[in-house]
Amino acid sequence: MAYHCADYFRGLTGTNCSHQIVRSSLYYIPATADLLKTTALSITLTVSPMARTVEGEYGPPIVNFGELGAIRCNRCKAQYQLVDAGRRFQCLMCKVTREVPTAYF
């Protein structure tokens, strides 16, 4: 059964969430990069992690990084992405890389 994005959907599966938390600009996403380029559609997501949930609906998952906290760039405080097979982090904003602290392993 297919759901329209405007339909009320309860995020009960643990793998999807309510449209109140994450909403896409497209109902259907093109299957290939060529099709996306041909149609010239932009894909955007509106993320509202603090949106209220309805009774019986799962909220967004909470990540606990422990005492070390979340990995942030020392220069601009943006988040990192893993590179080099998970041995290094690269800042998403200023592209600075650094080693992953051994405490995270």
Side-chain angles (χ1 to χ4, degrees), residues 5-100:
C5 74
D7 291 342
Y8 175 75
F9 174 75
R10 287 187 180 200
L12 298 174
T13 63
T15 56
N16 295 316
C17 65
S18 167
H19 69 277
Q20 295 172 341
I21 295 173
V22 177
R23 186 179 297 240
S24 174
S25 63
L26 298 178
Y27 296 138
Y28 301 100
I29 297 175
T32 64
D34 290 336
L35 185 57
L36 181 63
K37 187 176 179 181
T38 302
T39 59
L41 296 171
S42 61
I43 300 174
T44 60
L45 290 177
T46 302
V47 181
S48 303
M50 305 306 268
R52 293 185 183 175
T53 57
V54 178
E55 184 179 335
E57 184 177 64
Y58 291 127
I62 307 297
V63 178
N64 183 1
F65 289 101
E67 294 179 12
L68 297 174
I71 297 289
R72 299 270 181 192
C73 178
N74 293 339
R75 230 184 346 182
C76 68
K77 303 299 181 200
Q79 292 184 345
Y80 280 96
Q81 68 179 1
L82 288 170
V83 293
D84 195 20
R87 292 186 294 264
R88 299 178 62 78
F89 285 111
Q90 182 178 25
C91 177
L92 296 171
M93 299 297 286
C94 64
K95 305 300 182 198
V96 169
T97 59
R98 76 173 212 194
E99 297 291 325
V100 174

